[in-house]
């Protein structure tokens, strides 16, 4: 599960970086930055859902 979380964090950061690059390069003339930010949101929601499902099914244990 740890590898999946790290992979999603890398994908989120890569999408955020590409959105920044598109904003600077395109100067607001294309929708590539919006698409990259949409992917970032989808990756974040998917990561959150996977973490909640992992906790629910006992894959992730609470240390409390």
């Amino acid at each position: 599960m740890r590898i999946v979380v790290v992979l999603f964090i890398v994908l989120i950061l890569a999408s955020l970086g590409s959105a920044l690059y598109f904003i600077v390069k395109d100067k607001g003339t294309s929708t590539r930055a919006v698409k990259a930010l949409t992917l970032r949101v989808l990756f974040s929601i998917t990561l959150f859902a996977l973490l909640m499902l992992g906790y629910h099914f006992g894959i992730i244990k609470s240390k409390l």
Side-chain angles (χ1 to χ4, degrees):
M1 186 69 168
R2 188 174 292 176
I3 295 171
V4 173
V5 171
V6 170
L7 177 68
F8 268 95
I9 290 174
V10 167
L11 286 172
I12 290 167
L13 291 175
S15 179
L16 189 61
S18 67
L20 176 65
Y21 175 76
F22 292 143
I23 287 172
V24 171
K25 185 176 183 225
D26 294 342
K27 297 188 184 351
T29 58
S30 75
T31 61
R32 293 192 297 179
V34 174
K35 290 177 185 175
L37 290 173
T38 302
L39 275 177
R40 185 190 66 86
V41 170
L42 289 175
F43 289 145
S44 298
I45 291 171
T46 304
L47 176 61
F48 181 75
L50 285 174
L51 288 173
M52 292 298 107
L53 286 171
Y55 181 76
H56 178 72
F57 290 116
I59 297 170
I60 300 173
K61 306 265 192 275
S62 175
K63 292 191 178 197
L64 294 177

